Amino acid sequence: IAIALLVVLIPYAVFYGIWAKKVLGIQELIPDFLERMAGINQSGLTIAQGIAIMVNTNLGLISYEIRKIKKDMDWGANFTEALVRFEERVSTPSIARTVTLITKASEMSGQIGEVLSIAAADAKMTEMLKKERHAEMFIYTVIVYLAFFVFLFVVAVLTMQFLPVLANISTQGISATGILSGIGAISIATFGRLLYHACLIQAFFSGLIAGQMGESSLAAGVKHACVLLLITLVVFNFILV
């Protein structure tokens, strides 16, 4: 089950990482894009003319999305519709908030240079706060890893030191009634397997928690879960054999 889970989760983690890197790159460039659009609009040009100018500007990852916005407008969509489609493609809360602000302002007037400047400042502040949060929350991701390694170390010690001793203890003197009445019927291999399963469960959920705390996303925690699951499999199948 653990291997089958990894076969599913590893490709998901890889593709999610690629998508997240692309989206984060676009979000970092949104303030620059909005500031340039504000300057163009304040100079007297329309939004459509501004987009046509921005198509020829190299803004990294967001350049591809600008070309798609221009293509939507060439095919008959207005600026508001093209922006909404851009927001649906990227689908992040910060970009959705920026697009909503711009579209509502553009419905009232074609001169939205000031609104674009405000949106640019808001996007820049959001990105700065996000980077600060990630830097501060990184320590909690480390703590989750350390907690798991401590748990794994304790289980490894129990498996190597305690269970072999327990296997040599005779249970003939144990009362047939009470808490330990059924211990003689349980094999040492069963105890070891229970500890193994406990580590696998701990690895999976610790990884998800690390992603939620460090990057505010359970999906981001899938890669941590894969790493911890692989470590657990290696420890129990190659080290504690």
Side-chain angles (χ1 to χ4, degrees), residues 83-186:
L83 267 186
V84 170
R85 292 175 185 173
F86 161 67
E87 184 268 324
E88 290 174 349
R89 287 193 299 270
V90 181
S91 186
T92 64
S94 59
I95 291 180
R97 184 173 63 252
T98 301
V99 169
T100 300
L101 176 63
I102 295 173
T103 52
K104 293 299 182 183
S106 62
E107 290 174 359
M108 302 176 186
S109 172
Q111 298 298 320
I112 58 171
E114 185 175 351
V115 174
L116 290 172
S117 298
I118 294 172
D122 177 70
K124 186 179 295 184
M125 179 63 68
T126 300
E127 287 302 308
M128 184 179 67
L129 292 175
K130 185 183 297 182
K131 290 179 180 179
E132 291 180 357
R133 179 186 178 281
H134 284 171
E136 293 177 359
M137 295 301 291
F138 176 75
I139 185 63
Y140 293 99
T141 302
V142 175
I143 290 173
V144 171
Y145 270 83
L146 288 176
F148 172 76
F149 288 136
V150 169
F151 180 79
L152 187 62
F153 175 76
V154 171
V155 170
V157 171
L158 290 175
T159 303
M160 291 187 298
Q161 303 294 330
F162 178 71
L163 292 185
V165 173
L166 188 63
N168 297 325
I169 295 177
S170 173
T171 59
Q172 294 179 356
I174 298 178
S175 174
T177 61
I179 298 175
L180 301 178
S181 59
I183 193 171
I186 303 176

Side-chain angles (χ1 to χ4, degrees), residues 133 141 144 205-224:
R133 179 186 178 281
T141 302
V144 171
F205 288 104
S206 292
L208 296 183
I209 291 172
Q212 181 64 39
M213 295 185 68
E215 302 174 53
S216 299
S217 172
L218 287 176
V222 171
K223 61 178 178 291
H224 300 298

